[in-house]
Amino acid sequence: MKKIIFVAAIVVIAIAIGLSLEPNSKRTVIYHVTIADPKIYTNEIFTDIFAIQKGTYQFSFVPNGDSPETLSIALKGATFSFAEDFQLNGTLHDTGISTYYTWNYLGKKEIQVPEDQPLQIVINPHGNLLGSVSVDLIKT
């Protein structure tokens, strides 16, 4: 009986993951970086510059239990400025047969860019240079 429940739980999780990965034609990743290598930092800070168009955007993260506990992100442009200290949050899931965590960053994730411009992104992992996390900025 436990095998049937376990298999059913796996099937439900697989379906949920599949639905969450369903393509959405209105959402476009306009910036992506995976921070996991100390070589990409200068003085323990990651910086980059990219072009962005006027519009509404949302941050998306792919963290894990080793990701930085606090991830500070700042965006700066000619007519736009944003800064947020995202906090890593683990949610414990208990299926009855096993327990596991899912991870997400808490903080203000939506931004409004008033006009087309280049932006500088600054990411500070607060000393955790080995904990990996992917950061996406998605046009909504």
Side-chain angles (χ1 to χ4, degrees):
M1 183 66 173
K2 286 186 178 182
K3 271 188 172 179
I4 293 171
I5 293 171
F6 181 73
V7 171
I10 289 175
V11 169
V12 169
I13 291 170
I15 290 171
I17 291 171
L19 291 175
S20 70
L21 297 176
E22 186 175 309
N24 184 343
S25 62
K26 290 186 175 186
R27 297 171 59 96
T28 303
V29 175
I30 61 110
Y31 184 80
H32 169 83
V33 65
T34 298
I35 59 171
D37 182 356
K39 295 175 191 166
I40 67 171
Y41 298 100
T42 302
N43 297 323
E44 298 189 353
I45 304 290
F46 171 82
T47 60
D48 197 7
I49 296 175
F50 63 97
I52 195 167
Q53 296 178 334
K54 175 182 177 178
T56 303
Y57 296 86
Q58 184 173 17
F59 283 100
S60 176
F61 302 97
V62 180
N64 61 62
D66 292 331
S67 296
E69 207 171 296
T70 300
L71 191 67
S72 298
I73 298 179
L75 297 170
K76 294 178 181 147
T79 62
F80 180 77
S81 182
F82 168 86
E84 184 72 18
D85 293 328
F86 293 97
Q87 299 299 317
L88 186 63
N89 181 56
T91 302
L92 177 64
H93 300 274
D94 187 349
T95 65
I97 338 176
S98 66
T99 58
Y100 64 95
Y101 281 90
T102 56
W103 300 93
N104 196 8
Y105 278 103
L106 304 177
K108 182 183 177 201
K109 294 182 182 175
E110 187 172 289
I111 61 171
Q112 292 272 52
V113 178
E115 63 185 50
D116 297 2
Q117 60 193 290
L119 289 183
Q120 178 186 42
I121 186 169
V122 177
I123 301 176
N124 182 349
H126 298 277
N128 185 344
L129 306 183
L130 297 175
S132 67
V133 61
S134 291
V135 178
D136 291 324
L137 193 56
I138 300 168
K139 185 167 176 88
T140 60

